[in-house]
Amino acid sequence: MTSYMTVTQLINGWYSWGVAIAFAITFVTTLWIFFDSQSNGYRAPLCRWLSLATAIVVIPSVVLSFSPTLAVGLPAAFIDALAVLGIVATIVSLLCLLLYGLGVGVEVMDDDEAAVALAPNADAPPERTGLHPTPTPPHGLLPVTTKERPITPQRMTPTGSDTIRIKNTYENDLPLAWVVALNGPYAGQEYRLQKITDIGRESEHNDVALDDRTISRQHARIRYEKGAFVIYDLASANGVLVNGDQVQRRVITHGDRIRLGQMVLGVLMVLNDLETVSAPDEISSPSPLPGIEE
């Protein structure tokens, strides 16, 4: 008798106020997952369609809650079943949101898929030719080849102090190095690498600010460590690719191409064994990637 009264009270509470909360939860969850996955170039079919199904399951209870006259003539067991399904759907919707936030079943789209998904005109996606153009080196510098002496840094063990931004504590002189935007609205812009150079979307927190929705707020960091520049992925949404390989930590050198979301940066360095050194204003601006319009 007590359990029956408990179930009855639960169903009455569902139709009186619970259904409104459930509809808000499932509706907002569905919109959030669809919008966030689309804008960030994620592929999350399980979370997308499961959250949409939960929102659809709650709709009959919403209709009966706002129009009780429609329940006249319907079996009580059917009405109770709709309430139970609605409660279960709400729980599943919250679970979908949790799984999406943890990245379960979520994958980053490849370059071609992301270009179509993020294109301003989805009906006419841009043509993509020459995906990885070779950056133009500074005037007077030779392009990097396999015969040149590579930069080999000493192995370092990251510690907790690596996250502290202290830009003037290194004893070595900083070599001349830049990253140059190769595509998008920033194409041709040069950014001198410092001992610590942060790259991201927000100008107030980054040394290289790239206002692009495929770039995370704090996307990557380049540090000068024991004679070489090392790039780190700061847990970004779309990752860091160096010469086509996704990396968490990688030594970068002259001629490397860094992809952050849809933005591509070329690495330009003055190597120690080259006698000719050009000023930054003499660096030729590389052409943007064909087919990517910002």
Side-chain angles (χ1 to χ4, degrees), residues 165 167 178-181 186 191-194 196-212 214-223 229-237 239-242 252 258-261 263-267:
R165 299 187 56 185
K167 299 200 173 199
W178 298 264
V179 289
V180 180
Y186 301 94
Y191 306 91
R192 172 76 186 276
L193 293 182
Q194 306 299 320
I196 296 180
T197 304
D198 286 340
I199 307 173
R201 193 170 68 242
E202 294 184 347
S203 58
E204 60 268 25
H205 298 301
N206 297 283
D207 305 293
V208 179
L210 303 172
D211 188 11
D212 185 277
T214 64
I215 303 286
S216 298
R217 291 181 176 87
Q218 290 181 292
H219 199 108
R221 172 174 294 172
I222 300 176
R223 290 169 54 102
F229 288 97
V230 183
I231 189 168
Y232 292 86
D233 183 359
L234 300 180
S236 61
V240 174
L241 282 77
V242 177
I252 57 175
I258 303 171
R259 175 175 288 274
L260 311 173
M263 299 294 297
V264 179
L265 304 176
V267 180

Side-chain angles (χ1 to χ4, degrees), residues 154-187:
Q154 299 179 8
R155 182 175 295 276
M156 296 186 63
T157 302
T159 64
S161 61
D162 288 343
T163 59
I164 302 176
R165 299 187 56 185
I166 303 176
K167 299 200 173 199
N168 297 311
T169 58
Y170 297 94
E171 297 179 357
N172 297 333
D173 292 334
L174 191 67
L176 296 174
W178 298 264
V179 289
V180 180
L182 301 180
N183 67 325
Y186 301 94

Side-chain angles (χ1 to χ4, degrees), residues 7 19 40 51 64 86 95 105 110 120 128 135 143 152 159 171 184 191 193 198-199 224 232 245-246 273 282:
V7 173
V19 67
N40 288 299
S51 63
L64 292 180
L95 181 61
D110 57 33
R128 297 176 61 84
T152 305
T159 64
E171 297 179 357
Y191 306 91
L193 293 182
D198 286 340
I199 307 173
Y224 184 63
Y232 292 86
D245 298 327
Q246 187 163 1
D273 54 352
E282 296 178 358

